[in-house]
Amino acid sequence: RFDVHIKVDYSTKEMFVSNYVTNLSKGGVFIQTENPLPIQSQINLTFTLPDFNIKIEAKGKVAWIYDIKKGTSSIVSGMGIKFTDIPDRNKALIEDYIKKLSSKSETAYS
């Protein structure tokens, strides 16, 4: 998992919202929001990877939430999204971006 700050648009059948992805991995994202959706909610995501300038589209479901209003001891409210349907090309782009982030963080500690 890597800390990022990427604008994301996501939608359900009932709503459309823009927020930020603050954590990215091969399997999903963490979306910072004061109004996390219920666990198991299905969503459609669209975001652009910095430096790649390519739009990523994927489907996912809410796997877990941190909700400050409900008293969990978290600094940031939001929801963990597990990718459930993502084209292979988009999956490969995310993996390439993560490799780039990984090499940057290794350079920072060298």
Side-chain angles (χ1 to χ4, degrees):
R1 296 197 167 273
F2 289 89
D3 292 335
V4 294
H5 189 74
I6 301 171
K7 185 176 186 294
V8 62
D9 296 326
Y10 59 95
S11 62
T12 66
K13 291 179 183 175
E14 296 83 27
M15 60 182 249
F16 177 86
V17 182
S18 291
N19 275 307
Y20 286 92
V21 169
T22 58
N23 196 288
L24 174 69
S25 74
K26 292 188 298 186
V29 296
F30 179 79
I31 298 175
Q32 183 176 338
T33 177
E34 292 183 12
N35 299 302
L37 298 169
I39 291 176
Q40 299 298 321
S41 295
Q42 302 290 321
I43 66 170
N44 298 309
L45 303 136
T46 303
F47 57 95
T48 301
L49 293 173
D51 305 333
F52 285 43
N53 204 26
I54 296 170
K55 186 181 286 188
I56 301 292
E57 294 182 350
K59 293 182 181 183
K61 71 176 179 180
V62 178
W64 50 274
I65 60 173
Y66 281 138
D67 191 348
I68 292 172
K69 296 183 301 270
K70 292 185 179 166
T72 57
S73 58
S74 169
I75 297 169
V76 178
S77 289
M79 54 190 174
I81 307 299
K82 180 180 180 181
F83 296 136
T84 57
D85 185 12
I86 182 167
D88 289 341
R89 178 178 180 270
N90 288 350
K91 189 182 296 186
L93 288 167
I94 290 171
E95 289 178 12
D96 288 346
Y97 184 68
I98 287 172
K99 285 177 190 170
K100 184 176 181 181
L101 291 176
S102 177
S103 67
K104 281 184 181 180
S105 67
E106 288 172 9
T107 304
Y109 294 112
S110 299

